[in-house]
Amino acid sequence: MHSKTCLRDDHVVMTLSGSLDASVVGVLRHDLEQALSRGVRILILDLSAVSFVDSSGLAALVSTLKTALGRQVEVALCSLAAPVVAVLELTRLDRVFDIYADVAEARAAQGERP
Amino acid sequence: MTPARTYRRYAPATLAQARALAADVGLTLREWGLPEHRVLGWELAVAEMATNLARHAYGDEAGQPPGPMWLDVTWGAEGLCMVLADEGEAFDPAAVPVPPAPDPADPDSWPESGMGLPLIRSAVDRLEYRTEGARNLMTLFVSDPTA
């Protein structure tokens, strides 16, 4: 698992790649917390290069969403690879997350919110 | 008639090995020509089973030495069968409650645990768990893996 963070104005884009699974979930949670702590209004997670997600990886994303909610930070998922889509749909978490086709769409949609 | 194929692997039950084992199974099932959209689910099921062993049967995260796990996969006339064996603490999947579907309007309903077993069940036709001597065996069956 690798992450790359790009800070822009009121939002941060975090690009995750590789496998989001139990063996890396500690690092994943740490990186997500770091991204949330940037003091931005929107956290966009680009998941285009994620090859695998298990329940531990999903739990880290859900935990981040809950934490973000408490800090008035919006979380958007975008560019979902097929394995991510499948797991989100199976767990019905696709109804919980804001999901967009790509970073530009996520930025535009979140930017329109009051 | 489907030619019989087998895959066997031993690994220490650690979180890293759980992921490696699942990835290896996924690679093997793809090499066998099984459909990608189903292989994803079986790879995930093996990862969830093996992670559960690492976390609970042997306590990988508690700093205890990892115990063994064995995976046997067969694909034949009766379908696809994956058996994960361990010698750790027994675990009864039937005792695990099915989590309710998350309500988008209620953050308290968004799950941070308990998703592994439903993901396993969603990928297979049948799940069985039994203990034979010192070994616990979790068996996953798929009647028509080519569908």
Side-chain angles (χ1 to χ4, degrees):
Chain A
M1 194 282 292
H2 295 284
S3 69
K4 188 175 71 176
T5 302
C6 182
L7 183 63
R8 291 183 185 175
D9 302 326
D10 66 342
H11 66 274
V12 61
V13 178
M14 185 174 184
T15 304
L16 294 167
S17 59
S19 180
L20 311 184
D21 61 73
S23 69
V24 298
V25 75
V27 176
L28 175 61
R29 285 180 181 273
H30 173 267
D31 290 358
L32 288 166
E33 173 56 34
Q34 290 289 105
L36 271 184
S37 301
R38 295 291 192 98
V40 293
R41 193 172 65 83
I42 306 164
L43 169 61
I44 299 173
L45 299 177
D46 181 341
L47 305 181
S48 57
V50 171
S51 57
F52 183 85
V53 187
D54 71 3
S55 62
S56 299
L58 272 185
L61 296 180
V62 172
S63 175
T64 298
L65 182 60
K66 288 182 176 179
T67 302
L69 193 66
R71 299 181 190 175
Q72 284 79 51
V73 177
E74 302 284 345
V75 174
L77 308 186
C78 70
S79 310
L80 307 191
V84 183
V85 173
V87 175
L88 285 172
E89 288 180 352
L90 284 169
T91 54
R92 296 192 174 187
L93 286 169
D94 58 326
R95 306 185 317 156
V96 168
F97 285 99
D98 289 332
I99 298 172
Y100 300 95
D102 51 37
V103 171
E105 186 180 299
R107 191 182 294 141
Q110 295 292 338
E112 288 169 1
R113 294 191 175 190
Chain B
M1 181 176 169
T2 304
R5 294 172 188 261
T6 61
Y7 166 93
R8 284 189 169 179
R9 186 166 158 186
Y10 157 83
T14 65
L15 295 178
Q17 286 292 327
R19 176 67 194 114
L21 181 64
D24 198 44
V25 169
L27 190 64
T28 299
L29 297 177
R30 287 180 182 94
E31 287 174 354
W32 289 358
L34 293 171
E36 175 65 24
H37 70 283
R38 302 206 69 189
V39 171
L40 278 174
W42 302 325
E43 183 177 339
L44 180 58
V46 169
E48 296 293 344
M49 286 196 300
T51 295
N52 197 47
L53 286 192
R55 280 197 170 138
H56 304 299
Y58 298 117
D60 178 69
E61 291 182 331
Q64 299 177 19
M69 62 180 172
W70 298 266
L71 181 66
D72 281 12
V73 181
T74 58
W75 175 29
E78 295 182 1
L80 182 71
C81 178
M82 297 183 280
V83 184
L84 188 67
D86 69 276
E87 294 179 341
E89 290 289 322
F91 155 77
D92 180 7
V96 179
V98 177
D103 176 356
D106 178 14
D108 289 339
S109 75
W110 304 348
E112 294 185 65
S113 63
M115 292 181 280
L117 203 51
L119 286 171
I120 295 171
R121 291 189 193 280
S122 72
V124 301
D125 296 321
R126 199 165 81 247
L127 182 157
E128 292 180 0
Y129 187 86
R130 68 183 192 281
T131 298
E132 288 182 359
R135 284 197 181 181
N136 307 306
L137 304 169
M138 184 175 278
T139 306
L140 307 182
F141 293 101
V142 180
S143 58
D144 184 2
T146 61

